[in-house]
Amino acid sequence: MGVAVGIQSGEEDRSSQQLIKMKKLWLVSLFFLCLGVLSNGYNKTGSSRPAVVNVGAIFTFDSTIGKVAKIAIQEAVKDVNADSTILNGTKLVVKMQNSNCSGFLGAVEALQFMETDIIATIGPQSSVLAHIISQVADYFQVPLLSFAATDPTLSSLQFPFLIRTTQSDLYQMAAIAEIVEYYEWKSVIAIFIDDDYGRNGVSALGDALAARRCRISDKMEIPPDTDVNRNDIVDILVKVALLESRVIVLHANPNSGLLVFSVASYLGMMGNGYVWIATDWLSSLLDSSSPLPYDVMETMQGVLALRQHTPDSDRKRAFISRWNKLTGAGLGLNTYGLYAYDSVWLVARAVDTFFNEGGVISFSNDSRLQSAAGGDLNLGAMTLFDGGAHLLNKILDSNFTGLTGPIKFDSDRSLILPAFDVINVIGTGFRQIGYWSNYSGPSIVPPETLYTRPPNRSSASQKLQKVLWPGGDFKKPRGWVFPNSGKQLKIGVPRRVSYQEFLSQIPGTNMFKGFCIDVFTAAVNLLPYPIPYEFVPFGNGLENPSYTELVNLITAGVFDAAVGDIAIVTNRTRIVDFTQPYAASGLVVVAPFRRLSSSPWAFLRPFGWGMWAVTAAFFIFIGIIIWILEHRINDEFRGPPRKQLITILWFSFSTLFFAHRENTVSTLGRFVLLIWLFVVLIINSSYTASLTSILTVQQLFSPIKGIETLEENDEPIGYQVGSFAEHYLRDELGISESRLVALGSPEAYAKALNDGPKKGGVAAVVDERPYVELFLSSHCTFRIVGQEFTRSGWGFAFPRDSPIVVDLSTAILALSENGDLQRIHDKWLTGSACSTESELESDRLELSSFWGLFLIAGVACVLSLIIFFCQIARQFKHAAPSESLPASGSSSRSRRLQTFLSFVDEREDPSKSSSKRRKIDGLSNEID
């Protein structure tokens, strides 16, 4: 628009020629400083509490930040000197120098400051100048407090005497990255000033985005010269308009930034679909120069911007009121002005502590500078501050509350609690839509409130208010478009040889047809925007190509996408993104079968041999247990040994039909019998059901029961050429590659399965279910055996973080919901099916299905026996007094055991309990 806004940023330079002069002077100065001669020991020493303390300040007076900072520093000096609790009578004097946006002049002025015995320097505001002056400060040991240099590479390790009294761009770029993630954009375009401030800030943005799986797709540099013209910006933005991303981050200074917005508006790049995010240069401009001319504001409607957050407080409100009276509302107060004000107080408090701890302001001349003396620069007059390191530590140890909030430094020498306001330019001003803090991310709750709560980084807690985007729409922009370069998407499509119902090339063309193609075109037609694309055949047409190789070519940039029957498997998802699956898939085993003929021994087939053996053993075991429990009190379980053996066998096996005649008298016997009858009921029912199925349904038999059978034997296994089944069998299941046989068509499947391993064929084929179902629809002599042992699906492949994936997945879900996906499936894949009256022989009922029942019965028997013998032992002890027992010895132990066994075998008669002692004595005499 050609609007001349008389504002200059602290981040721009006057001219490249001045920079060249500055670099030459700096190299000459460093040469003299490195002569290696020791100091001559001359000191200029003052009293412990001098009358005046000199502090320097270097910044650009007529810049957006400098205009505000100058007044703020002056007011801070007045407040410090008016406060009797600070410096105890010592007057603070701040000597200001105008760097005029020139690195050369800034370096000269910094060197000249060293002739005036200053103990600290406030500034500079330029990150470029800060890199240079920090070296001067380090050499002369004068702390340098920069209230506006935000370059994240200004490290305390490289510049130990540099103290950043504002927030680093490291946090500002983290805030932008989280905003991009919050709105679910994947890539941005960065437009930035091509200097240390711009390059290093955008580098930090790239790292922050990468940590959130986003990226800077393109970078556009603006020349740092102040005379950058409109044509340069036009060339940059024309390139941007041809790119895919529509999210643009502008990291510039006010002059170049406003020029970018003016050209963007002229080119129609401030309309619907675009997203502009400006760093805090814009908020500083709006705070200080608002209201801007109407035509200027019109060029930036809908822009998002960040502003360093300063908590609201009574002191801040009072200072703003005082500011308005000073400036007459002609110059607004921005956050850098607040940081400049707090920087003066930071120096004053640190100096006061320095004096309280006995610090003395003294300076020393350096012989290296003496030897280089001469000329107008007067290097010999420059002195080193002896107490610089001590004062630096006092500054870093400071902890007080200023206009900007808590002033305290962490271990990295950064101010604690970094936070930013998020603003939206609307009309003639802006509206705050939320906050960002390093503590909780985007939020509509002020950071001071969040600091009192536990940290919460969940997506549910992150929220910003509605935004009026460029073009006047409240709907969130998609953030990308197809590049307006006339280039079509190159979509790789495999040239299948088999199963062409899924995918096949139309002869003589690059067009394809089939189930997969119809699904893709139907989904693309549902997208709210057109996709220019072309199909590119992949494969030689003689055999199915490798799908893994096709996916790898997307990563290599050969294809922009791949469409086909591509299985979504782990090793592929690591390198590309897939859409929502449009077809279910998974590996299954196909094997030949034979019909089982009837057999006179069919009644034995319901149970496995282990089940038969354990069942028979338990019948006998239960009979013995019942006999033990009933023998002493039940006459039906007494008699000659032969009769008792027959009773045990008859009783136990008759329980199978619930036809046992013997009554159980004891409580323990009834308990065991009850448990056993429950077990018999379950076994009987299961046997009956299985036998009925065997005798009434024609059974099919296959020696292959599933993938487990194939893992256990050494027979060859077939797989489809190009399928991921080969990789899975070899790498995941560890099956030897020598056992794997590649098969290229359904006819090859059928021949290999019919021939079998003995005739050079295969024992089974492992393939994906959609292919197998199509194969079995015309080959009824084979069946799927076992369960599907992998779960996956088919999807369309795109490069990582492609924005098309989400929209295409949504379209596929819509096809599924409205029934179109099923109609496409029925069109291509519905065919004649084999009869399903017969079924493969089900597995026999094995012991593993019933061991729980047998365990219950066994535990019940053991517990009953323990209780029974405890009762017998107690009765035996009472019936046989200790004086009637034989003497000790091996023979006596034998007689005692025989007496006990005779007692157990004895018929228990309650009416004769009084004669038990006499019987025991008589039994002992007979044994003797």
Side-chain angles (χ1 to χ4, degrees), residues 389-713:
H390 187 190
L391 179 60
L392 174 67
N393 291 331
K394 297 302 104 184
I395 294 174
L396 294 176
D397 291 340
S398 298
N399 184 5
F400 68 96
T401 300
L403 297 182
T404 58
I407 305 297
K408 185 179 180 181
F409 298 93
D410 60 20
S411 58
D412 295 327
R413 295 190 180 182
S414 298
L415 287 175
I416 62 172
L417 306 178
F420 287 84
D421 299 333
V422 185
I423 64 175
N424 183 204
V425 179
I426 300 176
T428 59
F430 58 85
R431 179 175 68 97
Q432 185 168 333
I433 62 169
Y435 308 88
W436 176 92
S437 68
N438 197 38
Y439 187 75
S440 61
S443 175
I444 59 175
V445 180
E448 297 75 43
T449 303
L450 295 176
Y451 295 146
T452 62
R453 305 173 184 173
N456 186 0
R457 281 276 183 172
S458 65
S459 57
S461 67
Q462 297 185 352
K463 184 180 180 182
L464 294 174
Q465 295 178 1
K466 281 189 176 181
V467 176
L468 182 66
W469 301 103
D473 195 354
F474 283 100
K475 182 181 179 181
K476 184 196 77 173
R478 190 170 68 243
W480 66 275
V481 295
F482 282 98
N484 190 20
S485 59
K487 178 185 175 183
Q488 293 182 320
L489 291 181
K490 295 175 63 177
I491 299 179
V493 184
R495 299 175 64 186
R496 288 200 61 86
V497 177
S498 60
Y499 299 112
Q500 296 193 348
E501 293 87 346
F502 295 105
L503 196 65
S504 64
Q505 185 177 8
I506 299 175
T509 70
N510 280 344
M511 300 177 64
F512 288 80
K513 63 180 181 179
F515 169 70
C516 304
I517 297 298
D518 281 5
V519 172
F520 177 74
T521 55
V524 168
N525 290 336
L526 292 179
L527 296 179
Y529 49 85
I531 295 182
Y533 65 88
E534 61 175 338
F535 289 141
V536 179
F538 173 71
N540 56 21
L542 302 178
E543 63 178 8
N544 295 333
S546 168
Y547 282 46
T548 299
E549 183 180 347
L550 172 61
V551 170
N552 288 334
L553 290 178
I554 298 176
T555 305
V558 177
F559 294 127
D560 299 312
V563 168
D565 46 341
I566 307 172
I568 304 173
V569 294
T570 304
N571 64 326
R572 295 173 184 171
T573 57
R574 293 192 180 105
I575 57 176
V576 297
D577 282 347
F578 282 94
T579 62
Q580 170 78 16
Y582 62 87
S585 182
L587 293 179
V588 294
V589 178
V590 180
F593 66 91
R594 62 182 175 85
R595 289 180 171 84
L596 290 175
S597 58
S598 58
S599 168
W601 302 102
F603 68 90
L604 295 176
R605 283 167 52 191
F607 288 164
W609 293 113
M611 181 64 181
W612 280 119
V614 172
T615 303
F618 253 84
F619 271 108
I620 297 173
F621 176 67
I622 293 298
I624 295 173
I625 296 300
I626 295 295
W627 177 84
I628 293 174
L629 298 176
E630 295 289 324
H631 177 66
R632 300 189 70 238
I633 59 176
N634 193 338
D635 290 336
E636 294 183 357
F637 288 88
R638 298 186 63 81
R642 184 171 179 273
K643 177 187 176 183
Q644 294 183 48
L645 178 60
I646 294 173
T647 300
I648 291 172
L649 296 176
W650 165 255
F651 177 84
S652 60
F653 285 102
S654 63
T655 56
L656 179 63
F657 310 102
F658 305 96
H660 50 285
R661 297 177 302 174
E662 295 79 7
N663 294 321
T664 51
V665 178
S666 67
T667 302
L668 293 175
R670 290 175 177 177
F671 170 70
V672 171
L673 182 60
L674 179 64
I675 298 295
W676 175 243
L677 290 178
F678 173 74
V679 174
V680 169
L681 175 64
I682 300 299
I683 293 174
N684 198 357
S685 301
S686 302
Y687 175 85
T688 303
S690 181
L691 182 62
T692 301
S693 175
I694 291 172
L695 296 179
T696 57
V697 180
Q698 187 178 23
Q699 297 292 299
L700 308 178
F701 173 76
S702 173
I704 306 297
K705 304 301 181 184
I707 190 64
E708 297 80 7
T709 307
L710 297 178
E711 289 183 88
E712 293 169 357
N713 61 34

Side-chain angles (χ1 to χ4, degrees), residues 303-367:
V303 173
L304 291 183
L306 295 181
R307 176 176 61 189
Q308 297 195 46
H309 175 73
T310 55
D312 195 18
S313 65
D314 294 337
R315 285 189 61 200
K316 179 181 172 182
R317 285 191 293 269
F319 186 77
I320 293 175
S321 176
R322 174 181 163 192
W323 180 275
N324 292 332
K325 293 178 182 178
L326 284 171
T327 61
L331 178 65
L333 177 63
N334 58 40
T335 55
Y336 288 109
L338 297 176
Y339 280 115
Y341 180 91
D342 282 348
S343 296
V344 175
W345 274 94
L346 177 61
V347 172
R349 289 177 180 274
V351 171
D352 189 51
T353 305
F354 175 82
F355 287 148
N356 290 337
E357 294 182 358
V360 176
I361 295 179
S362 63
F363 299 86
S364 301
N365 292 103
D366 195 314
S367 59

Side-chain angles (χ1 to χ4, degrees), residues 218-350:
D218 296 275
K219 298 179 181 180
M220 300 292 173
E221 301 89 354
I222 300 174
D225 299 318
T226 56
D227 58 348
V228 58
N229 57 56
R230 189 177 181 87
N231 291 333
D232 294 333
I233 303 300
V234 170
D235 292 341
I236 291 173
L237 293 186
V238 166
K239 295 177 183 178
V240 171
L242 298 177
L243 299 174
E244 177 181 283
S245 178
R246 283 293 181 263
V247 182
I248 303 168
V249 177
L250 182 56
H251 188 45
N253 55 50
N255 272 1
S256 56
L258 291 180
L259 185 56
V260 168
F261 284 141
S262 175
V263 174
S265 179
Y266 173 77
L267 295 177
M269 297 175 65
M270 298 300 295
N272 289 331
Y274 281 91
V275 177
W276 288 83
I277 303 175
T279 51
D280 61 356
W281 66 266
L282 179 57
S283 61
S284 298
L285 175 63
L286 293 174
D287 285 336
S288 300
S289 305
S290 185
L292 292 172
Y294 176 79
D295 54 350
V296 176
M297 293 300 298
E298 275 295 298
T299 64
M300 61 179 76
Q301 293 298 299
V303 173
L304 291 183
L306 295 181
R307 176 176 61 189
Q308 297 195 46
H309 175 73
T310 55
D312 195 18
S313 65
D314 294 337
R315 285 189 61 200
K316 179 181 172 182
R317 285 191 293 269
F319 186 77
I320 293 175
S321 176
R322 174 181 163 192
W323 180 275
N324 292 332
K325 293 178 182 178
L326 284 171
T327 61
L331 178 65
L333 177 63
N334 58 40
T335 55
Y336 288 109
L338 297 176
Y339 280 115
Y341 180 91
D342 282 348
S343 296
V344 175
W345 274 94
L346 177 61
V347 172
R349 289 177 180 274

Side-chain angles (χ1 to χ4, degrees), residues 375-391:
D376 295 335
L377 191 56
N378 194 15
L379 295 176
M382 299 179 185
T383 55
L384 280 68
F385 179 28
D386 297 330
H390 187 190
L391 179 60

